[in-house]
């Protein structure tokens, strides 16, 4: 599954049990499913016994379970059992059957419908978990591959924010420490105009808090109401520290529309994985730069030693001749004076 498909994380991935529709909307769909099954069974009741009509209601429960939340699926099973009892079990238009075998049929329909809805809900949840894990693995692989191709720190920062933006489809940012230990913005991605006139300064304060605390932080942002993030309560920054072997390198974050009351655990976990990969790559780039500087320094010292050795060797013979001639002249001068 491509990691691009994870862009709807704020709807589905942060809470895998959270449905796409509101509960009342799903309950309405469940009641409509029971009504449709009743309309289908109504003309067929003349030709088929009740046992065959039950299969149509079970089919409706199965279809509803694949699309609705577990609670709505269970209510759909109750609606189907009630409709079957009310419209088809003798006496009709009454919830009290005259025969115990009909009562057993209604109870069996209810129990089977509830079991089907429960099992289908669990299966759908497991499928969502597998999709989420697959998207996470694909995103981490893509990030690792791009980081491995990039040698420079500035380019690594750009790759990291681009991959975070691509996965979450939300603005992202990355701050790194300079030589003085101050956090400076290394790269940003997406439109940050909704944060006001100084979005970089606002995000720097978040990064500084993360760097001071040493852990991932979720902080509400004062959105201005411009652009996509018009709801101030839903503008938050999730920021994770870049932890290297030799200390903290900076912070990586993403700006979200999730309110502070929403479960952000999957987002935090994925962002921390991105931050860990990015920190390793940045530290690797720093070590490579230091190794290159050490190699250049060693090469410079080697050339310096070779140059001094060459100069001393080339000057040794003429200096010896000059010393000998000077000594001879001094001796001749001493003889001349005597």
């Amino acid at each position: 599954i491509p990691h691009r498909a994870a862009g709807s994380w704020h709807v589905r991935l942060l809470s895998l049990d959270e449905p796409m529709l509101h509960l009342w909307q799903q309950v309405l769909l469940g009641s409509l499913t029971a009504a449709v099954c009743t309309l289908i069974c109504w003309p067929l009741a003349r030709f088929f016994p009740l046992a065959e009509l039950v299969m149509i209601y079970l089919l409706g429960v199965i279809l509803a379970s694949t699309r609705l939340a577990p609670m709505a699926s269970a209510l759909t099973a109750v609606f189907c059992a009630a409709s079957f009892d009310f419209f088809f079990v003798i006496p009709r238009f009454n919830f009290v059957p005259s025969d115990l075998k009909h009562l057993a049929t209604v109870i069996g329909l209810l129990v089977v419908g509830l079991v089907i809805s429960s099992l289908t809900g669990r299966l759908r949840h497991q499928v969502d978990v597998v999709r989420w894990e697959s998207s996470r693995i694909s995103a981490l692989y893509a990030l690792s591959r791009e980081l491995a191709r990039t040698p420079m720190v500035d380019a690594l920062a750009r790759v990291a924010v681009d991959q975070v933006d691509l996965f979450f489809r939300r603005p992202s940012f990355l701050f790194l420490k300079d030589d003085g230990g101050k956090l400076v913005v290394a790269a940003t991605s997406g439109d940050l105009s909704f944060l006001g006139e100084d979005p970089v300064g606002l995000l720097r304060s978040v990064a500084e808090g993360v760097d001071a605390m040493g852990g991932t932080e979720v902080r509400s942002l004062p959105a201005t109401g411009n652009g996509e993030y018009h709801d101030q309560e839903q503008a938050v920054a999730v920021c994770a520290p870049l932890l290297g072997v030799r200390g903290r390198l900076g912070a990586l974050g993403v700006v979200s529309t999730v309110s502070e009351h929403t479960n952000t655990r999957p987002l935090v976990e994925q962002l921390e994985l991105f931050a860990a990969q990015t920190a390793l790559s940045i530290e690797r780039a720093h070590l490579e730069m230091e190794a290159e500087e050490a190699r250049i320094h060693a090469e410079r010292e080697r050339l310096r030693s070779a140059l001094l050795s060459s100069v001393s060797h080339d000057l040794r013979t003429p200096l010896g001749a000059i010393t000998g001639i000077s000594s001879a002249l001094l001796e001749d001068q001493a003889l001349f004076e005597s």
Side-chain angles (χ1 to χ4, degrees):
I1 301 176
H3 62 279
R4 289 177 179 270
S8 58
W9 62 269
H10 61 290
V11 176
R12 186 188 63 184
L13 299 180
L14 288 185
S15 180
L16 295 174
D17 291 330
E18 184 179 355
M20 296 290 290
L21 299 176
H22 294 291
L23 181 59
W24 69 269
Q25 293 175 321
Q26 298 197 54
V27 172
L28 179 61
L29 289 177
S31 61
L32 290 177
T33 301
V36 171
C37 292
T38 302
L39 292 177
I40 295 174
C41 292
W42 187 262
L44 299 179
R46 302 178 182 178
F47 310 101
F48 297 97
L50 296 181
E52 279 72 11
L53 300 182
V54 169
M55 296 297 102
I56 296 178
Y57 281 101
L58 288 178
L59 180 60
V61 173
I62 294 174
L63 293 178
S65 300
T66 59
R67 297 296 179 182
L68 304 180
M71 179 63 69
S73 301
L75 291 176
T76 302
V78 173
F79 293 153
C80 289
S83 299
F84 175 77
D85 185 17
F86 187 79
F87 289 102
F88 299 104
V89 174
I90 300 174
R92 292 187 174 186
F93 310 110
N94 194 326
F95 287 106
V96 180
S98 59
D99 196 339
L100 290 180
K101 66 178 182 180
H102 293 159
L103 178 61
T105 302
V106 174
I107 295 177
L109 172 60
L110 178 61
V111 172
V112 173
L114 291 176
V115 171
I116 290 175
S117 63
S118 177
L119 295 178
T120 307
R122 292 182 181 180
L123 178 61
R124 189 160 54 89
H125 175 76
Q126 293 176 358
V127 170
D128 287 341
V129 171
V130 171
R131 288 177 178 174
W132 167 237
E133 294 298 333
S134 177
S135 66
R136 293 178 62 181
I137 294 173
S138 299
L140 288 174
Y141 172 73
L143 177 63
S144 301
R145 180 183 57 194
E146 294 299 326
L147 291 176
R149 297 175 180 176
T150 309
M152 305 302 296
V153 175
D154 294 340
L156 287 172
R158 171 52 54 187
V159 168
V161 297
D162 287 343
Q163 290 296 322
V164 171
D165 183 281
L166 184 63
F167 182 80
F168 295 110
R169 296 185 183 177
R170 294 291 179 268
S172 57
F173 56 92
L174 189 146
F175 286 84
L176 294 176
K177 289 185 177 180
D178 58 10
D179 296 336
K182 181 181 179 181
L183 287 174
V184 295
V185 60
T188 60
S189 177
D191 182 17
L192 298 174
S193 60
F194 70 97
L195 295 178
E197 298 180 356
D198 188 18
V200 174
L202 181 60
L203 296 177
R204 180 182 288 109
S205 64
V206 178
E208 290 175 348
V210 170
D211 182 66
M213 298 296 295
T216 304
E217 183 176 348
V218 180
R219 182 182 298 184
S220 299
L221 299 176
T224 61
N226 298 326
E228 177 185 358
Y229 304 86
H230 59 275
D231 189 353
Q232 181 175 353
E233 294 182 356
Q234 290 186 342
V236 296
V238 183
C239 192
L242 299 178
L243 302 177
V245 177
R246 297 184 294 181
R248 300 169 188 169
L249 306 177
L252 174 66
V254 60
V255 180
S256 162
T257 56
V258 181
S259 67
E260 59 184 357
H261 302 293
T262 303
N263 176 26
T264 57
R265 179 181 54 82
L267 169 60
V268 170
E269 291 178 353
Q270 184 67 15
L271 188 62
E272 288 177 345
L273 292 176
F274 281 151
Q277 289 284 344
T278 305
L280 289 176
S281 298
I282 292 176
E283 196 164 45
R284 170 185 55 82
H286 284 159
L287 292 175
E288 290 178 354
M289 292 175 60
E290 293 175 0
E292 182 66 17
E293 292 177 357
R295 187 189 66 82
I296 293 175
H297 180 73
E299 186 69 17
R300 185 184 298 114
E301 291 296 325
R302 188 184 67 81
L303 292 175
R304 179 170 172 265
S305 300
L307 180 60
L308 292 176
S309 177
S310 175
V311 170
S312 62
H313 180 272
D314 293 340
L315 292 180
R316 186 176 304 158
T317 301
L319 287 176
I322 294 173
T323 302
I325 293 173
S326 300
S327 299
L329 290 175
L330 291 175
E331 291 177 358
D332 292 342
Q333 181 69 23
L335 292 174
F336 177 76
E337 291 179 352
S338 61

